[in-house]
Amino acid sequence: MNKPITRALISVSDKTDLIPFAEFLVSQNIEIISTGGTRIHLAQHNIPVIGIDEYTGFPEIMGGRVKTLHPKIHGGILSRRDEDHEEMKRCLITEIDLVVVNLYPFEKTIYKQDSTFQDAIENIDIGGPTMLRSAAKNHQYVTVITDISDYAEVMSEMQMNAGKISENLRRLLAAKVFQYTSQYDQNIASYLEAEFSNSQQDFASIFQPRYVLKQALRYGENPHQKAAFYIDPNQPILGVSTAQLLQGKDLSYNNIADTDAAINCVLQFDEGPACVIVKHANPCGVALANSIFHAYERAYLTDPESAFGGIIALNCELDHDTASAILDRQFVEVIATPQVTSSALNILNTKPSIRVLQLGERNHADRLVQQMEQKKVSGGILIQTPDEKLFEKLECVTKRSPTEQESQDLLFAWKVAKFVKSNAIVYAANNMTLGIGAGQMSRVNSARIAGIKAEQSGLDIHGAVMSSDAFFPFRDAIDNAAKFGIKAIIQPGGSVRDDEVITAANKHDIAMVFTGIRHFRH
């Protein structure tokens, strides 16, 4: 049975785009029933509306905690139009054909800095989920909307079908309801468990992802693999998931992964214009400078060969000169930048295959709420907190202390090493990477590769600094560094052979700093 919609119940926390939708319902001669704040909002915009207390004949009570939990509401929603007609007539219940409900903002409430436990409790919605579940269960007869983005499609179908909604759309909307209420309940359960768990554990007993589909991808890491991109709409963090694509085709699976790595790396640098070039999830060039143009030039010079087909991330506006230099020098897959000047975008438009992502400007709240890092394994998932802490303390352990310039370069190299696949070795000088060795089974081989990279690019590492993401198990890496002319080293420390390593550094007059924390990246 598919009849035109004649009566709607609306109770929403998020009132975005509600008035145009309600005006449309009125134009279709649909009667609107509403609650509390939603009723007031509709009335203020001259939308004819019947209050829930007037409809049920029973007042809202307990400060609004009880208002829709009434047989006239749930009977109107849950009634089977063909077999419950006589009972509805006897009980004076009328049919409700459309339910428009979104819930109290529980998750937004608990993330507010001044939120209290009582605030959280009062934002646990009871009537809303009950109405949603009733309507979704009875989707054979009832249309239910919980996502404001669905207003347009519902209006379109009603216009095309004389006020009716297709069975297919009703089913899709019902499925969305159960996804929504399931996640809502999980958020509440996780919050309460965290508040009152006696185990003092950092992780909930059940981990339930909260991601929604942003786009299906053409393929995964390889063309024979299917893939999709999901995002967390409740935690919009500055990065690839929230960036605006200004030009170019949709990002691929590998583009997204590499761009995420590039953005996360470049956002480590607040001290000046910075550029990071990433290839296969590893930085192949990183530099700071007094302008974004020179930062790009210096990052590119680290490894021009690997930069080909790479991802470029900037921490400040992309201008005309930098855009011209990029196009003149290399093939690039993606450029991610906070802003783009109009003249720079005009230049980039000459190469429409280049994907240009505008991140928006940073502010201090951008990354206050950090998502847990996840890694899928067979039959399970690994969860960890983000690697946010840069060091425990900086301790010079050698006879010679680093100079002021060496100290600056050590910290720069340490930030870069944090984003290089382990085993990671970074050579740097004057806020510019000179050679990067990544992802090797042996730390000594990573050091050799970093030296080879520098030599291939024509860069002199004599007098440079070296960063290692984890401790040196033997002194051989220090001896090799001395042959290259490395003058200062930064590493976590913690090896059983630290004394041997420090002795080697002292022998070669190399300053060495321990951080007390490592940055493995797998």
Side-chain angles (χ1 to χ4, degrees), residues 265-266 269 272-277 284-302 313-315 412 416 429-433:
C265 184
V266 83
F269 300 102
C275 175
V276 173
I277 304 176
C284 59
V286 182
L288 302 176
N290 57 5
S291 71
I292 200 64
F293 173 80
H294 288 109
Y296 164 69
E297 275 198 325
R298 303 180 83 219
Y300 176 79
L301 288 174
T302 299
L314 312 172
N315 71 347
F412 168 81
V416 176
N430 299 313
N431 289 323
M432 170 183 168
T433 50

Side-chain angles (χ1 to χ4, degrees), residues 368-387:
L368 288 179
V369 179
Q370 286 288 327
Q371 294 169 304
M372 289 287 187
E373 294 179 356
Q374 306 170 33
K375 182 173 290 187
K376 184 74 175 67
V377 297
S378 299
I381 188 168
L382 292 169
I383 303 291
Q384 66 175 356
T385 57
D387 182 11

Side-chain angles (χ1 to χ4, degrees), residues 382-499:
L382 292 169
I383 303 291
Q384 66 175 356
T385 57
D387 182 11
E388 296 180 297
K389 195 171 187 179
L390 191 59
F391 52 80
E392 195 68 50
K393 64 176 180 177
L394 296 178
E395 178 188 8
C396 181
V397 295
T398 50
K399 294 177 181 178
R400 186 175 78 80
S401 297
T403 65
E404 183 176 347
Q405 182 61 54
E406 287 171 347
S407 294
Q408 183 177 324
D409 287 335
L410 287 172
L411 191 57
F412 168 81
W414 183 243
K415 288 181 178 181
V416 176
K418 182 180 171 185
F419 290 90
V420 178
K421 299 288 188 182
S422 190
N423 289 310
I425 294 292
V426 177
Y427 297 143
N430 299 313
N431 289 323
M432 170 183 168
T433 50
L434 302 176
I436 299 174
Q440 299 303 304
M441 290 69 75
S442 160
R443 194 162 299 278
V444 173
N445 282 339
S446 286
R448 290 192 185 107
I449 289 171
I452 292 170
K453 288 282 189 181
E455 183 180 5
Q456 287 179 333
S457 299
L459 299 174
D460 183 7
I461 59 175
H462 185 83
V465 305
M466 179 171 76
S467 172
S468 172
D469 66 337
F471 63 65
F472 295 102
F474 303 100
R475 65 170 288 166
D476 51 0
I478 311 303
D479 294 327
N480 287 333
K483 293 177 183 177
F484 285 134
I486 296 298
K487 292 299 183 184
I489 295 172
I490 188 168
Q491 57 128 324
S495 168
V496 295
R497 293 186 176 86
D498 273 349
D499 289 343

Side-chain angles (χ1 to χ4, degrees), residues 135-176:
K137 174 176 179 174
N138 205 30
H139 66 268
Q140 180 180 354
Y141 307 103
V142 179
T143 300
V144 57
I145 302 175
T146 190
D147 185 344
I148 60 175
S149 67
D150 291 320
Y151 288 164
E153 188 170 5
V154 169
M155 288 190 289
S156 177
E157 280 215 1
M158 290 177 67
Q159 286 175 322
M160 291 188 297
N161 301 321
K164 300 176 183 178
I165 301 298
S166 67
E167 181 180 20
N168 184 62
L169 180 55
R170 292 198 307 274
R171 286 182 174 177
L172 290 174
L173 293 173
K176 184 176 282 191

